[in-house]
């Protein structure tokens, strides 16, 4: 989810993963106000992929200088997760104690804006129109109705989808005004197979965004890790994240990135252009800056949460903090010097390398819960240091 927020104005861009029969899929999202046709748009998945790559946790590599001759090489690499999009399916219309306030076709989507006075009426209408709601939906829907919220319901118009020729469904975007800065997540927990994984990217003028009704925790960052992790970075980060979720009893929202979009140091991917940010809903950017590669006056926050109905019984409520302090999930590998080193300083250097690698191994075990003996075995295979160099080669230092 990408949330653009300025005062009471919100633009949501939604990209979902779905498993199952596409004919069974529909998206039902509570919204705090009536939504007109012009407030709905079909977005570009590439925009979400780009902001995901730009804010992704980074793996950084440094190469030690020759201990006998001051020379340094620096190399960096970014690793990004991707957010995948799957599928949805077709329309419906009729009343059963429910008000259909509007019906739109936007791109490949048929969209209804529904209002209801009672949850059982809305549930009956959705069921009668082939929306397969999970068990327990009535009480959750009822709580949204009591808050005066409407329901944004989307299915895929397969004829339109085939005519447009897209292989995947594109993200849906909705713009509206409301004093509520929140994200309804409870309906999605009812038919989820286990815990859900949610990434929220917020774009604001003021600064970092955090949740007001759950703890927002910064993930461990700027940590040295063994070099073999390069080939297992996705495993490393997944297990690190799981360890942090467990540490906080599964009830925290984690900050992975917070930065001014005008610059980065360095960038895991290129900053989004003014045009791209405007396409995500950042309406306040000037058209005169369209040609600039980076946009001013936009602060991006990346939040990551793993949740289910037990650990997150309430919807996510957000607050803009005004804090523009930069934060990035960053993990560092330091490669030992692997060239010739014939000097008195070399022995001391290699002793330090062994100590450093031992500390990195212990740190990795703490962060991920990986087996200590497995880590040591993998480190032994990846770490190459000079072994038993002949003593006489040091006499004339050739």
């Amino acid at each position: 989810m990408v949330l653009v927020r300025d005062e009471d104005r919100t633009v949501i861009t939604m990209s979902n993963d779905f498993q199952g029969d596409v004919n069974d899929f529909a998206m039902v999202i509570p919204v705090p106000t009536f939504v007109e046709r012009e407030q709905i748009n079909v977005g570009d998945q590439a925009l979400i992929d780009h902001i995901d790559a730009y804010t992704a946790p980074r793996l950084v590599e440094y190469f030690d200088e020759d201990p006998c001759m001051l020379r340094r090489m620096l190399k960096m690499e970014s690793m990004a997760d991707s957010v995948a999009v799957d599928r949805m399916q077709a329309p419906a219309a009729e009343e059963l104690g429910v008000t259909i306030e509007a019906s739109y076709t936007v791109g490949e989507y048929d969209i209804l804006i529904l209002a209801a006075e009672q949850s059982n009426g809305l549930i009956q209408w959705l069921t009668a129109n082939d929306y397969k709601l999970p068990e327990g939906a009535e009480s959750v829907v009822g709580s949204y109705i009591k808050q005066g919220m409407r329901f944004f319901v989307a299915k895929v118009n397969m004829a339109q989808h085939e005519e447009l020729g897209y292989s995947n469904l594109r993200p849906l975007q909705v713009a509206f005004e409301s004093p509520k800065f929140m994200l309804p997540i409870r309906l999605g927990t009812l038919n989820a197979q286990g815990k859900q994984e949610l990434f929220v990217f917020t774009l604001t003028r003021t600064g970092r965004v955090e949740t007001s009704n759950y703890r927002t925790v910064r993930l461990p960052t700027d940590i040295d890790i063994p070099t073999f992790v390069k080939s297992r970075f996705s495993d490393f980060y997944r297990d690190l994240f799981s360890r942090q979720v467990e540490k906080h009893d599964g009830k925290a929202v984690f900050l992975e990135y917070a930065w001014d979009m005008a610059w980065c140091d360095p960038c895991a991917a290129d900053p989004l252009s003014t045009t791209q940010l405007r396409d995500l809903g950042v309406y306040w950017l000037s058209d005169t800056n369209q040609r600039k590669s980076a946009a001013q006056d936009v602060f991006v926050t990346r939040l990551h949460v793993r949740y289910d109905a037990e650990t997150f019984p309430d919807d996510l409520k957000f607050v803009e903090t005004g804090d523009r302090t930069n934060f990035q999930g960053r993990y560092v590998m330091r490669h030992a010097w692997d060239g010739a080193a014939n000097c008195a300083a070399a022995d001391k250097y290699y002793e330090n390398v062994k100590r450093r690698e031992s500390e990195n191994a212990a740190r990795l075990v703490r962060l991920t819960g990986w087996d200590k003996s497995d880590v040591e075995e993998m480190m032994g295979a990846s770490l190459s240091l000079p072994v038993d160099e002949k003593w006489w080669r040091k006499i004339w230092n050739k």
Side-chain angles (χ1 to χ4, degrees):
M1 307 284 281
V2 180
L3 299 179
V4 174
R5 180 73 174 180
D6 182 46
E7 297 180 341
D8 284 349
R9 298 173 179 177
T10 301
V11 182
I12 300 179
T13 302
M14 300 168 280
S15 176
N16 296 276
D17 290 333
F18 169 67
Q19 292 180 333
D21 188 341
V22 67
N23 294 303
D24 294 338
F25 183 84
M27 184 162 56
V28 181
I29 300 174
V31 289
T33 184
F34 176 73
V35 178
E36 298 181 8
R37 164 63 183 86
E38 291 75 15
Q39 294 172 253
I40 306 169
N41 186 54
V42 177
D44 185 353
Q45 178 64 33
L47 296 175
I48 295 181
D49 293 343
H50 194 157
I51 197 170
D52 174 50
Y54 176 76
T55 60
R58 292 178 55 234
L59 179 63
V60 182
E61 290 184 88
Y62 292 102
F63 291 78
D64 285 354
E65 60 191 20
D66 183 346
C68 301
M69 182 172 65
L70 295 178
R71 186 177 75 212
R72 168 164 291 184
M73 297 173 61
L74 178 63
K75 184 179 181 183
M76 298 189 180
E77 178 178 299
S78 67
M79 316 250 332
D81 298 308
S82 62
V83 180
V85 179
D86 242 294
R87 305 169 182 151
M88 298 160 117
Q89 173 72 29
E94 205 166 303
E95 283 191 64
L96 186 65
V98 172
T99 302
I100 302 176
E101 295 190 331
S103 175
Y104 314 122
T105 296
V106 183
E108 62 266 41
Y109 294 96
D110 287 320
I111 295 168
L112 300 175
I113 307 300
L114 306 179
E117 295 182 0
Q118 295 182 352
S119 60
N120 59 352
L122 181 58
I123 295 296
Q124 290 178 42
W125 185 90
L126 291 170
T127 302
N129 286 276
D130 297 326
Y131 291 89
K132 299 179 181 180
L133 294 174
E135 184 178 349
E138 186 170 334
S139 61
V140 177
V141 168
S143 68
Y144 290 125
I145 291 175
K146 289 178 181 178
Q147 296 176 53
M149 299 185 78
R150 292 169 170 84
F151 296 86
F152 178 98
V153 180
K155 280 190 173 183
V156 175
N157 183 318
M158 293 305 295
Q160 282 289 99
H161 180 55
E162 292 174 5
E163 182 178 335
L164 290 169
Y166 291 103
S167 57
N168 291 318
L169 290 174
R170 295 172 293 170
L172 268 172
Q173 298 179 290
V174 186
F176 55 87
E177 292 186 15
S178 172
K180 297 179 180 179
F181 187 19
M182 53 88 73
L183 190 61
I185 63 173
R186 287 180 293 152
L187 272 176
T189 64
L190 298 177
N191 61 350
Q193 298 178 357
K195 292 184 179 293
Q196 301 241 58
E197 207 84 12
L198 174 66
F199 295 89
V200 179
F201 308 93
T202 66
L203 299 169
T204 68
R205 287 185 180 187
T206 54
R208 179 175 53 80
V209 170
E210 62 183 36
T211 45
S212 60
N213 58 332
Y214 293 101
R215 287 175 296 160
T216 302
V217 178
R218 297 182 181 221
L219 281 174
T221 188
D222 288 327
I223 294 171
D224 282 20
I225 55 177
T227 56
F228 79 84
V229 173
K230 180 177 181 178
S231 63
R232 298 188 57 188
F233 185 65
S234 59
D235 294 334
F236 159 77
Y237 195 78
R238 182 186 61 244
D239 292 341
L240 177 148
F241 183 79
S242 297
R243 194 83 162 175
Q244 291 299 307
V245 170
E246 181 181 346
K247 177 180 178 181
H248 293 277
D249 301 321
K251 298 178 181 179
V253 176
F254 294 92
L255 176 69
E256 293 185 330
Y257 190 89
W259 213 281
D260 194 316
M261 184 65 78
W263 69 288
C264 42
D265 183 28
C267 300
D270 291 336
L272 276 69
S273 67
T274 300
T275 301
Q276 290 173 314
L277 289 168
R278 286 176 64 89
D279 287 343
L280 283 171
V282 185
Y283 68 89
W284 60 83
L285 296 179
S286 170
D287 289 328
T288 60
N289 292 330
Q290 293 276 348
R291 297 182 180 275
K292 292 185 178 181
S293 60
Q296 304 289 335
D297 199 24
V298 181
F299 195 89
V300 58
T301 304
R302 175 187 175 120
L303 300 172
H304 184 180
V305 57
R306 182 176 296 164
Y307 68 97
D308 59 19
E310 181 180 354
T311 55
F312 281 76
D314 298 320
D315 295 320
L316 298 180
K317 298 178 182 178
F318 300 106
V319 61
E320 300 172 69
T321 66
D323 180 7
R324 300 182 75 91
T325 304
N326 297 322
F327 177 83
Q328 181 181 64
R330 182 174 177 272
Y331 306 93
V332 182
M333 300 187 310
R334 303 184 188 276
H335 294 271
W337 172 255
D338 61 358
N342 300 316
C343 66
D347 290 339
K348 182 66 174 177
Y349 164 74
Y350 289 122
E351 288 178 9
N352 289 336
V353 168
K354 290 178 181 179
R355 181 167 55 252
R356 179 178 79 192
E357 293 302 304
S358 177
E359 292 171 353
N360 288 348
R363 187 179 298 112
L364 182 64
V365 170
R366 290 197 304 271
L367 286 172
T368 63
W370 291 358
D371 184 82
K372 183 173 183 289
S373 59
D374 290 342
V375 168
E376 291 174 346
E377 182 179 348
M378 286 183 283
M379 287 187 66
S382 65
L383 182 63
S384 58
L385 298 177
V387 178
D388 294 329
E389 186 171 348
K390 300 303 181 182
W391 63 271
W392 58 81
R393 290 179 180 168
K394 299 180 181 180
I395 299 176
W396 298 283
N397 196 27
K398 291 184 180 179

